[in-house]
Amino acid sequence: MRSSGPLRLLAVREEPLSVDEVFRAVGDDAAGGTALFVGTVRDHDGHPSGAAVTALEYSAHPGAEEALRAVAEKVAADFPVRALAAVHRTGTLAVGEPAVVVAVSCPHRAEAFAACRRLIDDLKREVPIWKRQTFDDGTEDWVGACG
């Protein structure tokens, strides 16, 4: 979903994510700072046997975009946000692929960093998205991305 207000791009989708798309979405002439965070699939996750992660599969509750909007609205209300974007991937991802991209532009860099950090932290805590990790030893593990 796109908007002309500060919430410019919010989505939970199966298509590969574009860092450029998210960065463009938060462009604003009044912003002196833009902070962008890209969460990628890593090859490990503390498996007891030391097994490596080979893939992740993300699943989202049907209300995930609504929850994402609520998180984004709160961040925009608590910081001087000029523009905000957040996109989370669903489906099967390989190691190295972006799973989530968030960005915030604000008048100053400190505000942009703080708002971006809050956005990703609240997204991970409050948006109902789960991941299934597949390991190279054949085991799997489900992890809640929100708690």
Side-chain angles (χ1 to χ4, degrees), residues 41-57:
V41 177
R42 65 182 177 263
D43 67 357
H44 65 283
D45 196 32
H47 191 280
S49 73
V53 172
T54 57
L56 292 182
E57 180 183 349

Side-chain angles (χ1 to χ4, degrees), residues 44-75:
H44 65 283
D45 196 32
H47 191 280
S49 73
V53 172
T54 57
L56 292 182
E57 180 183 349
Y58 284 96
S59 301
H61 184 277
E65 279 196 3
E66 205 173 297
L68 177 57
R69 174 169 285 284
V71 164
E73 287 173 345
K74 181 78 168 113
V75 171

Side-chain angles (χ1 to χ4, degrees), residues 1 12 60-70 126-130:
M1 67 187 82
V12 176
H61 184 277
E65 279 196 3
E66 205 173 297
L68 177 57
R69 174 169 285 284
E126 298 176 27
V127 179
I129 297 173
W130 305 272

